Amino acid sequence: DAGVTQSPTHLIKTRGQHVTLRCSPISGHKSVSWYQQVLGQGPQFIFQYYEKEERGRGNFPDRFSARQFPNYSSELNVNALLLGDSALYLCASSLRGPLYNSPLHFGNGTRLTVT
Amino acid sequence: GQQVMQIPQYQHVQEGEDFTTYCNSSTTLSNIQWYKQRPGGHPVFLIQLVKSGEVKKQKRLTFQFGEAKKNSSLHITATQTTDVGTYFCAGPGNAGNMLTFGGGTRLMVKP
């Protein structure tokens, strides 16, 4: 079975632009979460989606938005990019819903560089 | 809000030496998870601890959950170069299935 797949793997954008990152969860997983990992730090929670509904949101500005599609894939959108948005963006899927602390299966991430 | 702290931040060991990383939460946790991230890679789930005082072993790795369920540790016996990476602990946050990750302990092993 394929793991969590993310695209693109790398992206370079300039300040003020917007970006869309994509994620396909493991087959059968209905929960998708997004994390931001700045170099040298632990992943920080951005969003969780389950059954196409937002089930959790971290402490990120409204420039960050996401959605989940009927096939459970997901997109993370970031508008008006800032230099500080440069990071590794990780998507994770899990088998069970928000009421369970299921282990997360991470994708390889999208490395975003904002210049 | 909830904070998860890990020490040390970095650890250099000679191959064959033991290694321990410690994780402390500002709040009581219902469970704690451990992940390993190899250089240039993504976090990979290692284990989940649920019960107070629980100890679990995976070959040379021993994981422990504190009695008060606010701290945890990971001990590696006789490190190997394949153990290189950053080890993160993570506890449930306030929203959904989110996890609050510690800052990680980066392990470097000299052959």
Side-chain angles (χ1 to χ4, degrees):
Chain A
D1 278 345
V4 176
T5 57
Q6 291 188 244
S7 64
T9 53
H10 295 83
L11 205 50
I12 300 175
K13 292 284 190 178
T14 55
R15 279 175 295 177
Q17 288 188 314
H18 71 271
V19 68
T20 298
L21 310 181
R22 295 179 175 83
C23 171
S24 292
I26 291 172
S27 178
H29 285 195
K30 299 179 179 179
S31 178
V32 170
S33 301
W34 288 95
Y35 285 79
Q36 181 196 65
Q37 187 176 27
V38 174
L39 196 63
Q41 297 181 19
Q44 264 200 298
F45 173 72
I46 310 175
F47 284 110
Q48 188 207 20
Y49 277 77
Y50 179 70
E51 289 284 15
K52 292 155 280 180
E53 289 188 9
E54 182 182 305
R55 297 301 187 98
R57 185 186 183 112
N59 189 23
F60 280 80
D62 291 343
R63 300 184 295 107
F64 289 76
S65 63
R67 54 180 176 167
Q68 186 177 34
F69 298 100
N71 66 352
Y72 303 108
S73 67
S74 179
E75 280 183 358
L76 175 69
N77 294 283
V78 187
N79 292 325
L81 286 166
L82 302 174
L83 295 179
D85 295 330
S86 296
L88 180 67
Y89 288 85
L90 294 161
C91 174
S93 74
S94 56
L95 182 60
R96 304 176 87 179
L99 295 179
Y100 305 93
N101 297 126
S102 303
L104 298 180
H105 301 264
F106 285 91
N108 290 331
T110 294
R111 173 73 61 186
L112 173 65
T113 302
V114 182
T115 62
Chain B
Q2 179 196 50
Q3 290 190 346
V4 178
M5 310 293 287
Q6 275 185 263
I7 55 170
Q9 195 173 359
Y10 303 95
Q11 184 86 58
H12 292 257
V13 299
Q14 197 73 39
E15 189 173 21
E17 291 182 338
D18 291 357
F19 159 78
T20 304
T21 172
Y22 300 92
C23 175
N24 289 285
S25 170
S26 58
T27 59
T28 301
L29 301 171
S30 60
N31 71 91
I32 195 155
Q33 299 180 22
W34 285 90
Y35 291 78
K36 176 184 178 181
Q37 186 172 23
R38 293 182 186 274
H42 58 275
V44 174
F45 173 76
L46 294 176
I47 208 159
Q48 183 177 36
L49 304 172
V50 179
K51 299 177 185 174
S52 168
E54 188 171 13
V55 178
K56 285 189 176 180
K57 293 192 175 186
Q58 289 180 351
K59 297 182 181 177
R60 295 177 295 102
L61 277 61
T62 302
F63 303 84
Q64 189 166 6
F65 201 8
E67 294 291 339
K69 301 183 79 173
K70 293 183 73 174
N71 61 286
S72 181
S73 64
L74 159 59
H75 180 82
I76 302 178
T77 304
T79 55
Q80 300 175 359
T81 54
T82 53
D83 295 326
V84 164
T86 301
Y87 293 85
F88 293 99
C89 63
N94 302 322
N97 197 29
M98 67 163 288
L99 287 177
T100 299
F101 281 80
T105 296
R106 183 179 170 191
L107 172 63
M108 288 155 279
V109 180
K110 292 178 247 181

